[in-house]
Amino acid sequence: MAGHFDLTDLQLIVHIGDWHSLTRAAEKTHLSLPAASTRIKNLEEHFGTQLLYRTSQGVTLTPAGEALTRHARTVMRQVEQLRGDMQEFARGVKGHVRVLANTTAMTEFMPAVLGRFLAAHPDVNVELRERLSYLIVRAVAEGSADLGIVAGHTTDQNLQFIPYRKDRLVLVTAAGHPLARESAVAFADTLSNDYVGLSEWSAIHPFLVQAAAALGRTFKFRVEVGNFEAVCRMIETGVGIGVIPESVAARYARALQVAIVPLVDDWALRKLQICVRDLDALPAFARELVDMLVADIPADQRESGADGAA
């Protein structure tokens, strides 16, 4: 067998699992492509098995490669925990927290907490990405994210869930729209209208498409924009209607001529939860971020909400 392998080898295989590209993985690991190829070859010789399938479209992990990647993620998490716990003694070592969140948490709840957290930890970086809840659970379970904020009745025996907040999705229309006169409305009864919404990169976009598909209906996006303010301004002009978090809608309704109509669908009321693999195993700075998120919960939201998924 070939010689020993090191943390760089493990980080390389993790990046390959994330990007399915040896070139991209080499860049993320700060290696040249030939050096990365050599390291993979040495790993394959060391373990006596093929780790990658190589095609013209890129690379994918073999079953052995997937197993190695799972172990590599565990080792890298332990190294990150070591760095976090030793930061006060080893100045200059950067910590890194990978956070995945749904649309509401990303736009409404995370910015203020992250601002305080980063100010208190200048040597820690946070990687924050938006995902659908079921993808967040999978990423935390696989170790590609340190913590996530998910919506709905989400369970996984291998994860820990911490109650976070509750929020509601509501319909927003122009002030003069016929639906604006309704005291409440079913999502199914809105689908004959054109919709204004966030583009496909947002978690709420595919969630609404899936909700319409579950009803056997088509979701008609007339305009897709980049943020909730643009959604509300388009709705105000009569371009279409939209479904957005109530906390967002209430803020823009104070300045724009739009109406907020409750949705009667069960999924409109969502319970948000923080999920982690093992809270005690997180690096100290990541545990502090969780503590800050929990401390930020308003007193009237510390009890359970209902279900959802975006």
Side-chain angles (χ1 to χ4, degrees):
M1 288 195 298
H4 297 292
F5 57 91
D6 57 22
L7 291 177
T8 301
D9 294 323
L10 298 183
Q11 188 65 76
L12 175 63
I13 199 74
V14 167
H15 285 318
I16 291 173
D18 289 339
W19 296 96
H20 304 291
S21 165
L22 186 57
T23 300
R24 185 67 171 145
E27 292 174 356
K28 297 290 286 185
T29 319
H30 307 293
L31 296 170
S32 67
L33 182 57
S37 296
T38 299
R39 283 178 177 270
I40 294 300
K41 180 180 177 182
N42 289 341
L43 282 173
E44 290 177 329
E45 292 178 358
H46 180 86
F47 291 111
T49 187
Q50 184 180 358
L51 299 175
L52 303 181
Y53 295 123
R54 298 166 175 84
T55 70
S56 58
Q57 283 76 41
V59 296
T60 56
L61 296 168
T62 66
E66 291 176 351
L68 176 59
T69 301
R70 288 195 296 272
H71 287 292
R73 291 192 194 280
T74 298
V75 172
M76 298 311 294
R77 282 197 304 272
Q78 291 171 340
V79 170
E80 199 65 39
Q81 181 179 1
L82 171 64
R83 287 175 175 167
D85 290 341
M86 296 299 292
Q87 273 189 353
E88 62 183 281
F89 303 105
R91 297 301 179 187
V93 177
K94 279 188 173 289
H96 189 81
V97 188
R98 297 161 301 174
V99 183
L100 300 181
N102 71 339
T103 304
T104 304
M106 279 276 293
T107 58
E108 292 299 292
F109 308 137
M110 294 293 293
V113 174
L114 284 180
R116 296 194 299 272
F117 175 79
L118 291 170
H121 296 277
D123 51 355
V124 175
N125 293 330
V126 174
E127 179 182 341
L128 178 62
R129 298 184 184 276
E130 184 176 350
R131 294 287 188 275
L132 280 168
S133 292
Y134 79 94
L135 295 175
I136 296 173
V137 170
R138 180 189 303 171
V140 173
E142 292 176 348
S144 57
D146 299 303
L147 64 98
I149 298 179
V150 299
H153 184 66
T154 306
T155 59
D156 186 307
Q157 292 183 346
N158 298 317
L159 299 181
Q160 297 174 357
F161 290 88
I162 303 165
Y164 182 44
R165 287 173 176 260
K166 59 185 177 181
D167 194 39
R168 183 187 298 272
L169 291 176
V170 295
L171 183 74
V172 179
T173 74
H177 194 281
L179 287 173
R181 297 191 293 269
E182 300 292 331
S183 58
V185 66
F187 181 61
D189 295 335
T190 72
L191 292 173
S192 60
N193 294 269
D194 290 330
Y195 261 80
V196 179
L198 298 181
S199 54
E200 291 183 1
W201 56 261
S202 71
I204 201 170
H205 177 116
F207 173 72
L208 293 175
V209 171
Q210 291 169 12
L215 296 168
R217 304 284 296 278
T218 301
F219 197 70
K220 300 189 298 181
F221 271 116
R222 183 79 185 277
V223 178
E224 297 176 23
V225 294
N227 56 63
F228 284 127
E229 180 179 2
V231 169
C232 291
R233 290 191 180 280
M234 286 288 181
I235 291 172
E236 182 185 38
T237 65
V239 171
I241 62 177
V243 169
I244 65 175
E246 185 176 33
S247 53
V248 179
R251 183 168 68 251
Y252 289 116
R254 290 193 288 268
L256 302 176
Q257 297 298 308
V258 295
I260 299 173
V261 184
L263 290 168
V264 300
D265 304 80
D266 290 341
W267 50 255
L269 183 62
R270 296 101 53 78
K271 179 176 68 174
L272 305 186
Q273 302 178 90
I274 301 167
C275 67
V276 297
R277 283 185 57 141
D278 183 349
L279 186 61
D280 292 334
L282 285 175
F285 53 80
R287 294 196 300 271
E288 185 172 342
L289 176 57
V290 174
D291 290 342
M292 292 179 70
L293 288 168
V294 172
D296 191 58
I297 303 172
D300 62 351
Q301 291 205 22
R302 293 184 180 271
E303 298 298 325
S304 62
D307 293 345

